[in-house]
Amino acid sequence: GENVEQHPSTLSVQEGDSAVIKCTYSDSASNYFPWYKQELGKRPQLIIDIRSNVGEKKDQRIAVTLNKTAKHFSLHITETQPEDSAVYFCAARYSGGSNYKLTFGKGTLLTVNP
Amino acid sequence: ETGVTQTPRHLVMGMTNKKSLKCEQHLGHNAMYWYKQSAKKPLELMFVYSLEERVENNSVPSRFSPECPNSSHLFLHLHTLQPEDSALYLCASSHDREVPYGYTFGSGTRLTVV
């Protein structure tokens, strides 16, 4: 099956700085990589995703890059704001036999200090 | 609401009780999932249903019993739980084989076993 490693487990930045979270995956057949944001006491919400035929995708202050050769992908948040503080999860989607499913990383607690 | 509704939001139960968690989605998705989220662990996949058929049981103890009567509803039946089963139980749904592949999560049920 797939294995997803996520680093760092915690990240603290000053407001306005950039934040980068990195993930690696093991199954080269994985073809879809979403990122989820989970605020305290709330459900995980999809914030951005990328498919394996694309190297980079950007949505306002958030961007995701994918290196298929190295099997890693990263989340970049620029001009961070206090409301960006949350746990961020990366995931990789692969074909596990008869179905497709997401395997999640362990999460990164991002704290943006005002 | 996100389109995935979970009830109850909070549940306290004794170790000898029997209770059920309910998940409902009206997004037209054909796959549904149960995840367990503990304080110090990543999102742990418990069960996967695709087209109402259970396609994965991720080594979950038999005191957890899932049921998927149709593509819109998913249940998790609980009996003789242990205190270590206390966690946030998240339901999610997705298109199994179509774009987009991402999950939509429910708000979760916060379970406390006493």
Short mmCIF file of all heavy atoms in Angstrom, two decimals, chain A residues 6-13 18-22 85-89 106-113, chain B residues 39-40:
data_model
loop_
_atom_site.label_atom_id
_atom_site.label_comp_id
_atom_site.label_asym_id
_atom_site.label_seq_id
_atom_site.Cartn_x
_atom_site.Cartn_y
_atom_site.Cartn_z
N GLN A 6 5.11 13.14 6.18
CA GLN A 6 4.87 14.58 6.16
C GLN A 6 5.79 15.26 7.17
O GLN A 6 5.92 14.82 8.31
CB GLN A 6 3.40 14.87 6.51
CG GLN A 6 3.02 16.33 6.48
CD GLN A 6 1.53 16.55 6.62
OE1 GLN A 6 0.73 15.61 6.54
NE2 GLN A 6 1.13 17.79 6.83
N HIS A 7 6.39 16.39 6.75
CA HIS A 7 7.30 17.14 7.61
C HIS A 7 7.15 18.63 7.36
O HIS A 7 6.89 19.04 6.22
CB HIS A 7 8.75 16.73 7.32
CG HIS A 7 9.04 15.31 7.58
ND1 HIS A 7 9.27 14.80 8.83
CD2 HIS A 7 9.09 14.25 6.72
CE1 HIS A 7 9.46 13.51 8.74
NE2 HIS A 7 9.36 13.14 7.48
N PRO A 8 7.31 19.47 8.38
CA PRO A 8 7.54 19.08 9.77
C PRO A 8 6.23 18.75 10.47
O PRO A 8 5.16 18.98 9.92
CB PRO A 8 8.18 20.34 10.35
CG PRO A 8 7.51 21.44 9.59
CD PRO A 8 7.29 20.91 8.19
N SER A 9 6.29 18.28 11.68
CA SER A 9 5.07 17.99 12.43
C SER A 9 4.50 19.27 13.04
O SER A 9 3.30 19.37 13.25
CB SER A 9 5.34 16.95 13.52
OG SER A 9 6.37 17.40 14.38
N THR A 10 5.38 20.22 13.33
CA THR A 10 4.93 21.53 13.80
C THR A 10 5.74 22.61 13.09
O THR A 10 6.91 22.41 12.77
CB THR A 10 5.09 21.70 15.33
OG1 THR A 10 6.47 21.56 15.66
CG2 THR A 10 4.28 20.67 16.09
N LEU A 11 5.10 23.75 12.86
CA LEU A 11 5.75 24.84 12.16
C LEU A 11 5.19 26.15 12.71
O LEU A 11 3.98 26.34 12.73
CB LEU A 11 5.48 24.74 10.65
CG LEU A 11 6.05 25.82 9.74
CD1 LEU A 11 7.57 25.87 9.85
CD2 LEU A 11 5.63 25.57 8.30
N SER A 12 6.08 27.01 13.13
CA SER A 12 5.67 28.31 13.68
C SER A 12 6.32 29.40 12.85
O SER A 12 7.54 29.39 12.65
CB SER A 12 6.10 28.43 15.15
OG SER A 12 5.68 29.66 15.69
N VAL A 13 5.52 30.34 12.36
CA VAL A 13 6.02 31.43 11.53
C VAL A 13 5.43 32.74 12.00
O VAL A 13 4.40 32.77 12.68
CB VAL A 13 5.70 31.21 10.03
CG1 VAL A 13 6.33 29.92 9.52
CG2 VAL A 13 4.21 31.23 9.79
N SER A 18 6.47 33.16 4.81
CA SER A 18 5.99 32.01 4.04
C SER A 18 6.12 30.74 4.87
O SER A 18 6.96 30.65 5.78
CB SER A 18 6.80 31.86 2.76
OG SER A 18 6.59 32.97 1.90
N ALA A 19 5.29 29.77 4.54
CA ALA A 19 5.34 28.45 5.20
C ALA A 19 5.39 27.37 4.13
O ALA A 19 4.68 27.47 3.12
CB ALA A 19 4.14 28.25 6.11
N VAL A 20 6.21 26.38 4.37
CA VAL A 20 6.33 25.26 3.43
C VAL A 20 6.20 23.95 4.18
O VAL A 20 6.87 23.74 5.19
CB VAL A 20 7.68 25.28 2.68
CG1 VAL A 20 7.75 24.11 1.70
CG2 VAL A 20 7.87 26.60 1.95
N ILE A 21 5.34 23.08 3.70
CA ILE A 21 5.15 21.75 4.27
C ILE A 21 5.43 20.73 3.18
O ILE A 21 4.95 20.89 2.06
CB ILE A 21 3.72 21.57 4.81
CG1 ILE A 21 3.40 22.66 5.85
CG2 ILE A 21 3.53 20.20 5.42
CD1 ILE A 21 1.94 22.70 6.26
N LYS A 22 6.20 19.71 3.54
CA LYS A 22 6.64 18.75 2.53
C LYS A 22 6.13 17.34 2.81
O LYS A 22 6.07 16.92 3.98
CB LYS A 22 8.17 18.73 2.46
CG LYS A 22 8.77 20.07 2.08
CD LYS A 22 10.28 20.01 2.01
CE LYS A 22 10.86 21.36 1.60
NZ LYS A 22 12.34 21.33 1.51
N SER A 85 -3.55 29.51 10.73
CA SER A 85 -3.18 28.58 11.81
C SER A 85 -4.17 27.40 11.83
O SER A 85 -5.38 27.60 11.93
CB SER A 85 -3.19 29.29 13.16
OG SER A 85 -2.21 30.31 13.20
N ALA A 86 -3.62 26.20 11.71
CA ALA A 86 -4.46 24.99 11.64
C ALA A 86 -3.52 23.79 11.49
O ALA A 86 -2.30 23.95 11.42
CB ALA A 86 -5.40 25.05 10.44
N VAL A 87 -4.11 22.61 11.44
CA VAL A 87 -3.36 21.41 11.08
C VAL A 87 -3.57 21.14 9.60
O VAL A 87 -4.71 21.18 9.12
CB VAL A 87 -3.80 20.18 11.91
CG1 VAL A 87 -3.03 18.94 11.46
CG2 VAL A 87 -3.58 20.44 13.39
N TYR A 88 -2.49 20.92 8.89
CA TYR A 88 -2.55 20.66 7.46
C TYR A 88 -2.16 19.20 7.20
O TYR A 88 -1.15 18.71 7.72
CB TYR A 88 -1.61 21.61 6.70
CG TYR A 88 -2.09 23.03 6.72
CD1 TYR A 88 -1.85 23.85 7.83
CD2 TYR A 88 -2.81 23.57 5.65
CE1 TYR A 88 -2.32 25.16 7.87
CE2 TYR A 88 -3.27 24.87 5.68
CZ TYR A 88 -3.02 25.67 6.79
OH TYR A 88 -3.48 26.96 6.82
N PHE A 89 -2.96 18.54 6.39
CA PHE A 89 -2.71 17.14 6.03
C PHE A 89 -2.49 17.04 4.52
O PHE A 89 -3.27 17.58 3.74
CB PHE A 89 -3.90 16.25 6.38
CG PHE A 89 -4.17 16.11 7.85
CD1 PHE A 89 -5.11 16.92 8.48
CD2 PHE A 89 -3.52 15.15 8.60
CE1 PHE A 89 -5.38 16.80 9.83
CE2 PHE A 89 -3.78 15.01 9.95
CZ PHE A 89 -4.71 15.84 10.57
N LYS A 106 0.74 12.52 8.57
CA LYS A 106 0.41 12.65 9.99
C LYS A 106 0.00 14.06 10.38
O LYS A 106 -0.42 14.28 11.51
CB LYS A 106 1.58 12.19 10.84
CG LYS A 106 1.85 10.70 10.73
CD LYS A 106 2.94 10.24 11.68
CE LYS A 106 3.12 8.72 11.58
NZ LYS A 106 4.17 8.23 12.51
N GLY A 107 0.15 15.00 9.48
CA GLY A 107 -0.31 16.34 9.77
C GLY A 107 0.79 17.27 10.22
O GLY A 107 1.79 16.85 10.81
N THR A 108 0.62 18.55 9.94
CA THR A 108 1.54 19.61 10.38
C THR A 108 0.72 20.67 11.09
O THR A 108 -0.22 21.22 10.50
CB THR A 108 2.28 20.23 9.19
OG1 THR A 108 3.10 19.25 8.57
CG2 THR A 108 3.14 21.42 9.64
N LEU A 109 1.07 20.94 12.33
CA LEU A 109 0.41 22.01 13.07
C LEU A 109 1.12 23.32 12.74
O LEU A 109 2.27 23.54 13.13
CB LEU A 109 0.46 21.76 14.57
CG LEU A 109 -0.08 22.88 15.46
CD1 LEU A 109 -1.54 23.17 15.14
CD2 LEU A 109 0.10 22.55 16.93
N LEU A 110 0.44 24.18 12.00
CA LEU A 110 0.99 25.48 11.62
C LEU A 110 0.45 26.55 12.56
O LEU A 110 -0.77 26.68 12.72
CB LEU A 110 0.64 25.83 10.18
CG LEU A 110 1.00 27.24 9.71
CD1 LEU A 110 2.52 27.41 9.71
CD2 LEU A 110 0.43 27.53 8.33
N THR A 111 1.35 27.31 13.15
CA THR A 111 0.97 28.43 14.00
C THR A 111 1.53 29.70 13.38
O THR A 111 2.74 29.79 13.15
CB THR A 111 1.52 28.27 15.42
OG1 THR A 111 1.04 27.03 15.97
CG2 THR A 111 1.05 29.42 16.31
N VAL A 112 0.65 30.65 13.11
CA VAL A 112 1.07 31.93 12.56
C VAL A 112 0.94 32.96 13.67
O VAL A 112 -0.16 33.24 14.16
CB VAL A 112 0.21 32.34 11.35
CG1 VAL A 112 0.67 33.69 10.82
CG2 VAL A 112 0.28 31.28 10.26
N ASN A 113 2.06 33.49 14.09
CA ASN A 113 2.10 34.44 15.20
C ASN A 113 1.91 35.88 14.70
O ASN A 113 2.61 36.30 13.78
CB ASN A 113 3.43 34.33 15.94
CG ASN A 113 3.67 32.92 16.46
OD1 ASN A 113 2.89 32.41 17.26
ND2 ASN A 113 4.73 32.29 16.00
N ALA B 39 -5.93 11.97 19.24
CA ALA B 39 -5.15 13.17 19.54
C ALA B 39 -3.72 13.08 19.02
O ALA B 39 -3.16 14.04 18.54
CB ALA B 39 -5.15 13.41 21.04
N LYS B 40 -3.14 11.92 19.11
CA LYS B 40 -1.73 11.82 18.75
C LYS B 40 -1.47 10.93 17.55
O LYS B 40 -0.35 10.47 17.35
CB LYS B 40 -0.94 11.33 19.96
CG LYS B 40 -1.00 12.29 21.15
CD LYS B 40 -0.15 11.83 22.30
CE LYS B 40 -0.20 12.84 23.45
NZ LYS B 40 0.64 12.40 24.59
#
